[in-house]
Amino acid sequence: MAKRPRRRAADDPDRPCPCGFGQPYADCCGRLHRGEAEAATAEALMRSRYSAFAVGDTAYLLRSWHSSTRPRRLDLDPGQRWTGLEIVDTDRGGLFDATGTVEFRAHHRAGGRPGTQTERSRFVREEGRWVYLDGVPD
């Protein structure tokens, strides 16, 4: 029996969003990826960026990156599959803040092996919207 190709959340808008909130992708991070909404908090931006990695949306990742630290281009590893996100801690980054940090664990599989990326990411507002500034891996 032939193996069916795995469908990503971006290919199936009713599939649960990779960010872990349990809503359909189209109603959750998909709205941010399509430019229909902006992240209200640093944590919401972190979750939407994780989802962008999971669905392969490099345009959103670059758009949500601070202009002073944004790379010219971004190449994602097609063999890496993101499998889960844990928010460990947040500091500021709320509706009325200008800066915030989010510590997270992002789980993935690459080459059939599990892995985890842990980072404390810094977010700031640029032109009124939350953007990723940089991160310090643990």
Side-chain angles (χ1 to χ4, degrees), residues 1 7 13 40 52 62 65 68-69 88 91 93 101 103 112 114 116 124 128:
M1 180 179 216
R7 292 179 56 158
L62 292 170
W65 212 310
S68 70
T69 57
V88 176
D91 182 27
T101 59
E103 184 177 351
T116 301
V124 297

Side-chain angles (χ1 to χ4, degrees), residues 88-111:
V88 176
D89 189 31
T90 60
D91 182 27
R92 302 186 55 162
L95 295 174
F96 302 108
D97 294 320
T99 64
T101 59
V102 179
E103 184 177 351
F104 68 90
R105 283 188 205 103
H107 303 280
H108 60 83
R109 290 192 71 79

Side-chain angles (χ1 to χ4, degrees), residues 5 11 14 19 24 28 31-32 38 41 48 50 58 69 78 81 83 86 88 94 96 103 107 109 112 117 123 134:
D11 301 329
D14 293 327
C19 80
C28 193
R31 296 179 61 240
L32 281 70
E38 295 289 339
T41 65
S48 71
Y50 170 82
T58 56
T69 57
R81 197 181 90 217
T83 59
E86 295 174 63
V88 176
F96 302 108
E103 184 177 351
H107 303 280
R109 290 192 71 79
Q117 176 182 335
F123 297 89
D134 59 18

